[in-house]
C-alpha cells in the first residue's frame, strides 16, 4: 500500500528522488514607522505586522477576518479550540489519545516517540474547517502536528468527532507516520504557509529550531510583502499631498486584481481586454497553493522557481491525463487549464481577502461564459439546479483528502469518460453516476455531442500513461508533447523530464533545446532529464546551465554533476563548476533538518572523493531520521565501491534492525551476499525484497537472476512471469525469459517474449540478434 506523506514532496533533487518557544516578533507600531515627512526608501523593507495595515485598510481587514487565512493558525484557547476536550478519547491506527482541559489549558495524553504515554499541552490550533489539527511544542524548538484531528463539520454531515488522518495505516511510535516523526514537523512542512514572515532558524549543529514569525496567521504581508516602505510613503503622503508616491506604492509585490474581461459580439466567451496588472498572482498564490519543496528563503516579488521547486505531473501526484491524484494544492492543476493559458488569474474567481467566490454557484463561471449557452440543458443535458447542471461538478470534480476535505481539480477540463475506458483514469460523469460504467458515460457523451466531441487541450494522457509503463513508442509520444508549444508548460516540462528514460541522440537534441527554453520550468525539467546520462553528456550539456538566471534550474543541473571534479574539466570552466556545487550544498543546508539533505550532501562528498566527510554526513542523516532507507543503501554502496564489504554489511544490518521490512535494505544486502559468495543467504534476502516490494520490477528481475544462477531455472521463470503480470513491458525480464526458455528448448514461448521485446525496442541491434538467433534455431515448438 502506498503511504501518504503529508505536506511535503520529494523530487529527484533529493534522494527520495519533499516547537519550542516560538518568538512572536512585534515590529514597531504605525506611528513609529510613519509620521515623518520623508524617509529612506532604498534600504530593504521590513515586516510591520497586520495591526499596522488595518489602520488604513479597514475594509480589506474586515473581509479577511474569519477567513481560512486568518484562522490558519492560532494560540490554543477557549475561542480557537473546536475539538472535544472534555475527557474525550480516541483509539485506532496504533494510537491512543485522551483529550482534556486543566487550568484553562488544553492537553492530550498519548504515546510519545518512545511509546510511553505522556501528557502534552496543546499550544496552537492549525486550521479551522472542515478539520482542525493541534500542534504540540517540544523543548528543541519543534512543533509537531497530532495525527488525530477534529472533524469540524456539523454532526449531521458526519462531523463533531475525533479521527485519524491515516485511517488505513497503523502508525505506532517509531513509524514514519507517527505524529512525532519528521513527516508531521510544523517547522519544515507547514510553517511557511500558515504564518507570515516565518524564519525557520534551524541550528544544524544543535539540531534545534528557534522559529519566529511576524503574524501567527496568513496576514497582509504574506502576500503583499514587507510593508515598512509602503507605510513610510503613505504616512508622508497623509501629511503632505505633494510627497512622492511611486508606482509600486512602496511594495515589492504588485497584486492589483485580475484582468478586465468583456463579452464581445459574436462570442459566447469573454475576451481579456486588459491583462492583470502587476506581478503574477498565480505565482504569488502558488508559493503555498502548490505541491513543492522550498529551496531557499522566499523573496517577495522574485520568481517562484527562484526559491521553490514545484512538482511536475508525477505519477504519485497526478493521474496520467493530469487529473489530481494526491493532494497538490491547485497550482499544478491550474497551470494545465485553458483558463490559465488565456490569462485568468486567481482573483478573477476568488476574492483575495475573504477567499470566497466572487459570485455564487454557476454565476462565477457565467460572468465570462454566456449563461444562455453554457448554463443550459442544451449544453449540460441535466435538469437545472441539479448537481449535473453545476459547472464545477462537471469541469472541476473534487477529490477528498485528509479524510474529510474535498478539493476541486483546477485543471478545468472537459469530462472524458473515454479516457477512463482507455487508461483507467477517473471522470466527472461516474463520480455522480456511480451505478453506471465508464462505457455507459462515454456513449452518453457521444450521443449528446457527436463522435467528434471536444476533447479539450489536455491531450497528453495517452503519452504519459504509455511512458509510465514503458510501452512501445512512448519516447516518440513524449517528444511530440515536449515540442508542442500549444501544450501547457507543465505538461511539456513533464514530458521533457520523462524523456530521461529514453535517451538516444534524437532525444538528447530535444532535451538540449529544452535547456534553452524561455520557460524556467522547462529548463529545469530538461536538466532533470539528464540524470542517467554519461558523465561527458551531462557535463557538455549542463555546465552552461550552472549560470542560468533561476536558482532551481541551476540546482537541477548541479544535482547531476556531483561526480564531476575540478581536475576533470577545462581550467576555464572550474569556477563555474565549483559555484554550482557550492550552491547545491547551500540548498541542502537550507533544509538541514531533513535526513534527505544530509544524504544529498553525502553523495556530493562521495562524488568529489571526500569519504570522511561523506561518512559524517550519513551520520547526520541518521541522527535526524534513522528510518530513512536511502541513508543505509547509499552508505553501503560507498563502502562497496571502496571494497569495504564488511562495513557495507554492518550498515545494512543496522538499517534492518530499525526497519526489518525495508525492501531496499533486503535487496542491497542480498546483492552484497552475491558479491561475497554467500548464495543461500543472498537468495533469502532477494526473495524477501521481491516479496516486500512487488511494485518494484527490478527487485523481481534480480531475484530471478539469482535463482537462475543457482540452477533453479523453473523457479526463476515463474518469478519473472509474475513480474510481467504487473509490469508487462519490463525489458530486462522479457529478455531473460526469452533466453531462459530458448536455452530449455521452449522455442515457442521464447519467440513470444523476444517478439514482445522487439516491439518495444525495434531499433536495438542486440534485441534483433536475440530474436534472429531464436528463430534460426529451428521451427518453434
Amino acid at each position: 500500500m502506498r503511504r501518504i506523506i503529508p505536506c511535503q514532496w520529494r523530487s529527484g533533487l533529493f534522494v527520495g528522488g519533499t516547537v519550542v518557544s516560538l518568538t512572536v516578533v512585534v515590529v514597531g507600531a504605525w506611528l513609529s514607522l510613519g509620521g515623518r515627512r520623508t524617509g529612506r526608501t532604498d534600504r530593504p523593507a521590513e515586516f510591520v505586522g497586520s495591526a499596522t495595515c488595518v489602520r488604513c485598510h479597514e475594509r480589506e481587514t474586515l473581509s479577511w477576518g474569519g477567513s481560512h487565512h486568518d484562522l490558519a493558525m492560532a494560540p490554543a484557547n477557549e475561542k480557537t479550540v473546536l475539538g472535544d476536550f472534555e475527557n474525550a478519547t480516541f483509539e485506532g491506527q496504533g494510537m491512543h489519545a485522551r483529550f482534556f482541559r486543566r487550568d484553562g489549558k488544553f492537553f492530550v495524553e498519548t504515546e510519545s516517540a518512545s511509546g510511553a504515554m505522556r501528557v502534552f499541552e496543546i499550544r496552537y490550533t492549525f486550521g479551522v474547517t472542515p478539520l482542525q489539527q493541534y500542534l504540540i511544542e517540544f523543548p528543541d524548538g519543534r512543533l509537531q502536528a497530532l495525527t488525530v484531528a477534529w472533524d469540524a463539520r456539523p454532526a449531521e454531515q458526519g462531523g463533531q468527532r475525533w479521527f485519524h488522518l491515516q485511517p488505513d495505516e497503523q502508525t505506532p511510535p517509531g513509524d514514519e507516520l507517527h505524529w512525532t516523526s519528521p513527516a508531521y514537523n510544523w517547522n519544515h512542512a507547514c510553517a511557511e504557509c500558515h504564518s507570515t514572515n516565518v524564519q525557520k532558524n534551524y541550528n544544524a549543529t544543535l539540531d534545534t529550531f528557534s522559529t519566529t514569525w511576524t503574524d501567527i496567521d496568513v496576514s497582509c504581508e504574506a502576500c503583499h510583502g514587507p510593508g515598512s516602505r509602503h507605510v513610510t510613503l503613505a504616512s508622508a503622503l497623509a501629511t503632505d499631498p505633494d510627497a512622492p508616491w511611486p508606482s509600486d506604492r512602496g511594495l515589492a509585490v504588485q497584486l492589483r486584481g485580475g484582468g478586465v474581461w468583456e463579452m464581445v459580439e459574436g462570442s459566447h466567451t469573454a475576451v481579456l481586454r486588459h491583462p492583470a496588472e502587476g506581478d503574477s498572482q498565480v505565482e504569488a498564490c502558488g508559493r503555498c497553493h502548490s505541491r513543492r519543496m522550498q529551496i531557499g528563503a522566499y523573496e517577495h516579488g522574485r520568481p517562484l522557481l527562484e526559491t521553490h521547486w514545484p512538482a511536475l505531473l508525477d505519477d504519485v501526484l497526478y493521474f496520467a491525463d493530469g487529473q489530481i491524484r494526491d493532494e497538490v494544492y491547485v497550482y499544478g492543476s491550474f497551470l494545465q487549464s485553458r483558463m490559465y493559458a488565456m490569462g485568468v488569474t486567481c482573483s478573477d474567481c476568488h476574492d483575495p481577502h475573504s477567499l470566497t467566490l466572487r459570485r455564487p454557484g454557476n454565476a462565477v463561471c457565467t460572468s465570462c461564459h454566456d449563461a444562455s449557452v453554457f448554463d443550459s440543458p442544451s449544453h449540460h443535458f441535466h435538469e437545472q439546479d441539479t448537481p449535473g447542471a453545476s459547472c464545477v461538478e462537471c469541469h472541476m470534480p473534487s477529490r477528498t483528502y485528509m479524510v474529510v476535505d474535498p478539493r476541486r481539480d483546477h485543471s478545468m477540463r472537459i469530462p472524458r469518460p473515454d479516457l477512463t475506458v482507455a487508461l483507467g483514469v477517473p471522470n466527472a460523469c461516474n463520480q455522480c453516476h456511480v451505478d453506471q460504467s465508464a462505457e455507459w458515460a462515454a456513449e452518453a457523451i457521444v450521443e449528446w455531442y457527436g463522435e467528434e466531441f471536444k476533447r479539450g487541450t489536455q491531450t497528453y494522457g495517452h503519452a504519459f500513461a504509455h511512458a509510465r509503463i514503458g510501452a512501445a513508442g512512448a519516447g516518440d509520444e513524449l517528444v511530440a508533447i515536449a515540442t508542442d508549444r500549444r501544450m501547457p508548460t507543465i505538461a511539456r516540462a513533464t514530458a521533457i523530464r520523462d524523456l530521461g528514460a529514453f535517451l538516444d541522440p534524437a532525444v538528447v537534441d530535444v532535451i538540449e533545446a529544452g535547456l534553452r527554453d524561455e520557460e524556467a520550468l522547462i529548463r529545469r525539467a530538461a536538466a532533470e532529464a539528464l540524470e542517467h546520462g554519461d558523465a561527458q553528456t551531462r557535463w557538455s550539456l549542463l555546465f552552461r546551465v550552472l549560470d542560468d538566471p533561476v536558482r532551481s534550474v541551476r540546482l537541477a543541473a548541479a544535482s547531476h554533476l556531483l561526480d564531476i571534479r575540478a581536475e576533470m574539466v577545462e581550467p576555464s570552466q572550474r569556477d563555474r563548476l565549483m559555484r554550482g556545487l557550492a550552491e547545491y550544498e547551500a540548498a541542502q543546508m537550507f533544509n538541514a533538518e531533513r535526513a534527505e539533505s544530509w544524504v544529498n550532501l553525502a553523495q556530493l562528498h562521495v562524488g568529489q572523493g571526500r569519504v570522511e566527510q561523506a561518512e559524517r554526513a550519513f551520520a547526520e542523516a541518521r541522527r535526524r531520521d534513522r528510518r530513512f532507507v536511502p541513508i543505509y543503501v547509499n552508505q553501503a554502496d560507498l563502502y562497496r565501491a571502496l571494497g569495504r564489504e564488511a562495513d557495507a554489511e554492518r550498515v545494512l544490518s543496522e538499517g534492518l534492525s530499525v526497519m526489518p521490512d525495508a525492501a531496499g535494505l533486503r535487496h542491497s544486502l542480498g546483492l552484497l551476499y552475491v558479491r561475497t559468495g554467500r548464495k543461500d543467504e543472498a537468495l533469502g534476502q532477494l526473495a524477501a525484497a521481491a516479496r516486500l516490494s512487488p511494485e518494484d520490477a527490478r527487485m523481481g528481475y534480480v531475484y530471478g537472476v539469482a535463482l537462475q544462477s543457482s540452477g533453479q531455472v523453473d523457479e526463476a521463470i515463474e518469478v519473472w512471469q509474475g513480474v510481467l503480470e504487473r509490469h508487462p513491458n519490463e525489458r530486462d525480464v522479457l529478455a531473460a525469459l526469452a533466453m531462459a526458455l530458448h536455452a530449455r528448448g521452449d522455442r515457442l514461448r521464447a519467440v513470444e517474449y523476444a517478439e514482445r521485446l522487439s516491439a518495444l525496442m525495434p531499433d536495438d541491434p542486440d534485441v534483433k540478434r536475440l530474436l534472429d538467433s531464436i528463430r534460426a534455431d529451428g521451427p518453434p515448438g
Side-chain angles (χ1 to χ4, degrees), residues 138-157:
F138 284 82
D140 61 0
R142 283 169 170 76
L143 278 176
Q144 294 291 134
L146 277 176
T147 50
V148 176
W150 178 252
D151 187 340
R153 299 174 303 166
E156 56 269 23
Q157 295 180 16

Side-chain angles (χ1 to χ4, degrees), residues 141-383:
R142 283 169 170 76
L143 278 176
Q144 294 291 134
L146 277 176
T147 50
V148 176
W150 178 252
D151 187 340
R153 299 174 303 166
E156 56 269 23
Q157 295 180 16
Q160 301 301 297
R161 63 184 177 111
W162 292 104
F163 70 99
H164 200 282
L165 295 173
Q166 303 285 350
D168 300 322
E169 297 279 357
Q170 291 295 307
T171 61
D175 188 86
E176 64 177 343
L177 295 182
H178 189 257
W179 71 272
T180 58
S181 73
Y184 285 95
N185 173 239
W186 169 89
N187 311 69
H188 170 83
C190 317
E192 184 194 15
C193 293
H194 278 256
S195 299
T196 301
N197 187 29
V198 170
Q199 302 298 315
K200 187 166 54 176
N201 295 330
Y202 175 69
N203 186 315
T205 302
L206 300 176
D207 191 22
T208 60
F209 291 92
S210 298
T211 306
T212 63
W213 56 57
T214 303
D215 285 292
I216 194 172
D217 48 19
V218 181
S219 64
C220 317
E221 292 168 296
C223 302
H224 294 282
S228 63
R229 180 170 173 258
H230 173 75
V231 171
T232 298
L233 290 167
S235 299
L237 190 65
T239 57
D240 181 1
D242 295 324
W245 185 246
S247 59
D248 67 3
R249 299 177 297 172
L251 292 170
V253 180
Q254 302 300 304
L255 301 174
R256 296 177 177 171
V260 177
W261 296 85
E262 293 180 0
M263 298 296 295
V264 297
E265 186 175 354
S267 174
H268 298 299
T269 300
V271 174
L272 180 62
R273 288 298 192 192
H274 301 288
E277 297 182 24
D279 298 327
S280 168
Q281 279 188 29
V282 177
E283 283 216 339
C285 298
R287 173 193 176 191
C288 290
H289 291 274
S290 64
R291 191 69 174 263
R292 83 291 185 277
M293 296 182 300
Q294 191 176 3
I295 55 177
Y298 181 69
E299 301 174 58
H300 286 84
R302 296 282 291 155
L304 180 63
L305 287 168
E306 183 69 17
T307 55
H308 291 74
W309 187 284
L312 298 180
L313 305 182
D314 300 321
D315 187 15
V316 296
L317 303 179
Y318 297 88
F319 289 100
D321 64 342
Q323 291 188 78
I324 56 176
R325 183 198 297 268
D326 207 350
E327 191 168 12
V328 291
Y329 308 103
V330 172
Y331 176 78
S333 302
F334 188 53
L335 293 189
Q336 300 176 62
S337 70
R338 189 164 182 264
M339 303 296 182
Y340 172 74
M342 297 301 292
V344 173
T345 64
C346 310
S347 66
D348 283 320
C349 301
H350 301 272
D351 183 282
H353 297 107
S354 69
L355 311 183
T356 58
L357 289 172
R358 292 285 192 183
R359 297 170 181 81
N362 285 355
V364 74
C365 301
T366 56
S367 61
C368 286
H369 299 278
D370 189 343
S372 66
V373 174
F374 295 103
D375 192 9
S376 165
S378 64
H379 173 69
H380 52 65
F381 292 91
H382 289 77
E383 292 184 16

Side-chain angles (χ1 to χ4, degrees), residues 666-682:
R666 297 281 180 192
H667 183 74
S668 293
L669 188 58
L671 293 176
L672 183 150
Y673 288 153
V674 170
R675 293 192 301 271
T676 55
R678 297 146 72 178
K679 292 184 178 180
D680 290 342
E681 292 173 277

Side-chain angles (χ1 to χ4, degrees), residues 717 721 734 737-757 770-771 773-781:
I717 290 172
Q721 288 174 332
L734 287 168
L737 277 167
M739 289 186 287
L741 290 166
H742 182 216
R744 281 181 37 175
D746 191 344
R747 298 188 192 91
L748 183 62
R749 288 201 295 163
V751 166
E752 174 194 343
Y753 289 118
E755 288 178 342
R756 285 172 58 179
L757 182 62
L770 172 63
L771 180 57
S773 69
I774 297 173
R775 286 173 170 167
D777 195 14

Side-chain angles (χ1 to χ4, degrees), residues 455-514:
R455 287 168 172 78
T457 58
Q458 299 128 334
T459 55
Y460 31 82
H462 286 281
F464 289 153
H466 294 160
R468 289 175 181 183
I469 63 172
D476 292 338
E477 290 181 282
L478 289 179
V479 167
I481 300 298
T483 56
D484 187 347
R485 293 189 173 274
R486 296 169 299 176
M487 291 289 172
T489 294
I490 192 171
R492 290 185 59 217
T494 303
I496 288 180
R497 192 272 315 276
D498 291 352
L499 279 171
F502 303 90
L503 287 181
D504 61 32
V507 166
V508 170
D509 288 344
V510 173
I511 292 172
E512 185 174 11

Side-chain angles (χ1 to χ4, degrees), residues 64 84 196 242 252 293 312 314 414 467 515 537 541 691 728 758:
W64 166 81
D84 179 4
T196 301
D242 295 324
M293 296 182 300
L312 298 180
D314 300 321
I414 292 172
L515 293 172
T537 299
L541 294 179
R691 184 185 69 253
S758 180

